[in-house]
Structures are given as structure tokens and as C-alpha cells.
Amino acid sequence: MSFGAGLTMSPVHKDLLSTILQFLKYENLQDTAHALERETGIFFDAKHFEIMVLGGKFDEAEKYLSGFTNMHDNLDSTKIFFELRKQKFLEALDRKDRPKALDVLTKELQDFSRYNERLFRDATLLLTMDDFRKHGTLRSYGDPKIERIHVMNALKTFISDNPAFKGKMDPPTSRNASLLRLLVRGDLDGSTSMTRDVTFSGRS
């Protein structure tokens, strides 16, 4: 069962997922752990998200984000998705990659025209300019890597104020110490209560 953004889970499910997530982190199975976080929405790893944004991995960052919220959830979520896509668009322009910039404009930024009708027109104008920094609002736009830091600072505010992330910013802890010990150490002898419950016998 996949829970994802906006869905709730029982305390038992949450505790089990917390145990599995702790085990994956312990085993340094980071990709699997982050996939579990995204698919269940149990924990938003802000550091992982920041690394992706600062590294310019905007598609990966948005995919991870989608496990916790979507662009129409609330105003803060809309701003998060917009800032990611705007930065992707501007970096394509900075690289002179007009096909990529056009693709982002028509497939991703157009979604925000419902909130600001001028947005799509202004972005289209940027696409036609030899140097988008000549546009009055972008004269101070600097090196993309530095701009990513500014974007990330804004995203932190949008995330901290966002109700979609409430209760999901602290690393989960499991109350099932015996199961975690079993996963980490394979210590059946030290988990007698577990061995009584986990059996292939036809009788309980």
C-alpha cells in the first residue's frame, strides 16, 4: 500500500515504516530509504532535498517533493514548485539551451498561468532575448550555483510554513526496539518475544 502526500496511516503502520527506515539508514541504503520516504510520506529529509536543489537536480528534487505535497495543495506548495521550475528555466537560458527552456516553459511553467496570467507572457519574452539578464527584473541574476542558494533559502521558508510538512520534518523513531535489533543484528536469541510471535507453526 502506498500512502504518499496527504494520506494518513495507522500508528502500527507508521512504527513499522519507521523501523524499516532506520534499518535502511543504518545499512547506508540511502536511495532505498529516500524512495521509502517519498512513497510513504513518513519523513521529509530536508538535507537530501537541499543537496538535490543545490546540485541542480531539479527533476529529482520535484519527484521527491511530490511524495509530500503537490503544486496545488496550498500557496506555499505552489511557491515551492514554481521556484524549482523557474530556476530550471533560467539555467537553461543561461546555458543557451533554448529547446530545453522552451520545453520547461510550455510543459511546466504554463501550469502557473492560472495564478498569474502575465507569467507565461513574461517567460516567453525572456526566451526571445539574447541575454535574459537585460530584463529589468533579472539584472541582478548571477551565477546559477549562487542563485540556487538564494532559491534554497526561500524554499526553506515555504517548507517550514507549509502545513503539508507538519510532523514530517523530524527523523522517525521506532518504538519496536526488538524488531530493529533483529533487522540490524539478526539477533533472534535476544528477541524471545519476537520468536514467540513469528512462527511457521500451524498453532499459536
Side-chain angles (χ1 to χ4, degrees), residues 105-161:
L105 174 63
T106 57
K107 295 181 180 179
E108 300 183 41
L109 287 176
Q110 192 171 19
D111 292 338
F112 298 93
S113 59
R114 70 169 72 179
Y115 302 107
N116 186 338
E117 293 181 357
R118 291 188 53 188
L119 175 65
F120 191 77
R121 295 198 302 270
D122 290 345
T124 301
L125 175 62
L126 294 177
L127 193 61
T128 65
M129 300 176 66
D130 292 333
D131 183 0
F132 68 92
R133 291 179 176 83
K134 292 181 180 178
H135 192 281
T137 61
L138 293 168
R139 292 185 186 281
S140 62
Y141 187 91
D143 181 270
K145 292 183 179 180
I146 301 301
E147 294 299 326
R148 292 174 196 166
I149 297 175
H150 299 320
V151 169
M152 191 61 230
N153 288 336
L155 295 182
K156 288 178 180 179
T157 300
F158 301 147
I159 291 171
S160 65
D161 294 340

Side-chain angles (χ1 to χ4, degrees), residues 3-19:
F3 293 93
L7 299 180
T8 58
M9 64 183 73
S10 70
V12 174
H13 272 111
K14 186 173 183 179
D15 193 52
L16 178 59
L17 288 171
S18 296
T19 302

Side-chain angles (χ1 to χ4, degrees), residues 52-153:
M52 288 188 288
V53 173
L54 296 182
K57 298 179 179 180
F58 302 115
D59 290 334
E60 291 90 337
E62 184 168 326
K63 181 179 179 180
Y64 184 72
L65 185 69
S66 67
F68 305 88
T69 187
N70 64 69
M71 63 178 288
H72 303 302
D73 260 354
N74 55 62
L75 183 57
D76 286 316
S77 291
T78 301
K79 290 178 179 178
I80 294 171
F81 281 90
F82 174 69
E83 290 297 330
L84 287 173
R85 295 180 184 185
K86 181 181 74 172
Q87 184 63 18
K88 189 197 307 186
F89 175 70
L90 293 177
E91 290 196 20
L93 290 179
D94 186 68
R95 297 192 305 269
K96 307 298 183 184
D97 188 350
R98 294 187 183 279
K100 177 61 176 179
L102 179 61
D103 187 65
V104 175
L105 174 63
T106 57
K107 295 181 180 179
E108 300 183 41
L109 287 176
Q110 192 171 19
D111 292 338
F112 298 93
S113 59
R114 70 169 72 179
Y115 302 107
N116 186 338
E117 293 181 357
R118 291 188 53 188
L119 175 65
F120 191 77
R121 295 198 302 270
D122 290 345
T124 301
L125 175 62
L126 294 177
L127 193 61
T128 65
M129 300 176 66
D130 292 333
D131 183 0
F132 68 92
R133 291 179 176 83
K134 292 181 180 178
H135 192 281
T137 61
L138 293 168
R139 292 185 186 281
S140 62
Y141 187 91
D143 181 270
K145 292 183 179 180
I146 301 301
E147 294 299 326
R148 292 174 196 166
I149 297 175
H150 299 320
V151 169
M152 191 61 230
N153 288 336

Side-chain angles (χ1 to χ4, degrees), residues 15-27 172-188 190-191 193-194:
D15 193 52
L16 178 59
L17 288 171
S18 296
T19 302
I20 296 172
L21 185 58
Q22 285 181 269
F23 170 70
L24 293 173
K25 298 278 189 177
Y26 179 85
E27 292 293 321
T173 56
S174 173
R175 294 173 296 178
N176 197 332
S178 58
L179 176 57
L180 183 59
R181 184 170 61 247
L182 174 61
L183 289 171
V184 172
R185 297 170 51 193
D187 187 7
L188 284 171
S191 305
S193 62
M194 284 291 294

